[in-house]
């Protein structure tokens, strides 16, 4: 009887140790799985087909404000891509390049009004290039136009916009 009890205890100890080894392996890999949620471990690069950029040189206008239209047209129909309710046009980067010192402000305008401003020149101490990478991109409403307005222009300067068109 004692031999059978020792045999049962020995078998349960072997089973318990085997279970501990298995659990130990599972716990060893679980911190990695907890830190990386399912489906987000693989990052893909941005599809170059959705990235757009716009570049415009503003000539000297004697200090008056100048507004120009921006056309984001990925599908090539000469209509702003905000016409589609299943697409969103986003602005992710804005750059103001100035050749001469002087205060100036570039405004991003959409159908709701002024959305964002980038300043440059001697009053802003930014240097000849002021690049803003937006943490939260500007998303244009459906049917909205996009314009850039340059205020307080003294000399020639350039405005560059970079963005994406994404499906919902």
């Amino acid at each position: 009887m004692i031999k059978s009890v020792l045999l049962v205890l020995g078998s349960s100890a072997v089973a318990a140790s085997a279970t501990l080894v298995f659990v130990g392996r599972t716990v060893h890999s679980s911190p990695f799985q907890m830190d990386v949620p399912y489906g987000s471990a693989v990052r893909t690069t941005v599809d170059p087909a959705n990235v757009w950029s716009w570049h415009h040189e503003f000539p000297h206008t004697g200090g008056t404000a100048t507004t120009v239209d921006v056309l984001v047209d990925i599908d090539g129909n000469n209509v702003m891509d905000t016409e589609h309710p299943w697409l969103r046009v986003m602005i992710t980067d804005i750059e103001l390049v100035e050749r001469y010192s002087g205060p100036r402000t570039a405004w991003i305008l959409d159908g709701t009004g002024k959305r964002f401003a980038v300043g440059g020149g001697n009053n802003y101490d930014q240097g000849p290039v002021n690049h803003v990478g937006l943490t939260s991109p500007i998303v244009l409403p459906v049917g909205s136009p996009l314009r850039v307005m340059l205020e307080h222009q003294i000399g020639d300067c350039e405005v560059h916009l970079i963005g994406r068109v994404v499906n919902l």
Side-chain angles (χ1 to χ4, degrees), residues 88-104:
R88 290 297 180 265
V89 176
M90 300 187 312
I91 302 168
T92 57
D93 295 88
I94 304 165
E95 187 173 68
L96 178 62
V97 181
E98 51 189 317
R99 292 188 176 84
Y100 308 104
S101 64
R104 67 194 84 220

Side-chain angles (χ1 to χ4, degrees), residues 93-131:
D93 295 88
I94 304 165
E95 187 173 68
L96 178 62
V97 181
E98 51 189 317
R99 292 188 176 84
Y100 308 104
S101 64
R104 67 194 84 220
T105 306
W107 285 93
I108 305 301
L109 306 150
D110 66 6
T112 62
K114 292 180 177 179
R115 292 286 299 268
F116 194 80
V118 176
N122 57 6
N123 288 351
Y124 298 100
D125 297 326
Q126 303 281 336
V129 178
N130 186 8
H131 179 91

Side-chain angles (χ1 to χ4, degrees), residues 45-53 72-76 81 87-89 163-167:
T45 57
V46 176
D47 182 4
N50 327 11
V51 177
W52 59 269
S53 64
V72 178
D73 183 22
I74 300 290
D75 59 2
D81 283 342
L87 292 178
R88 290 297 180 265
V89 176
R164 294 179 58 199
V165 176
V166 296
N167 289 335

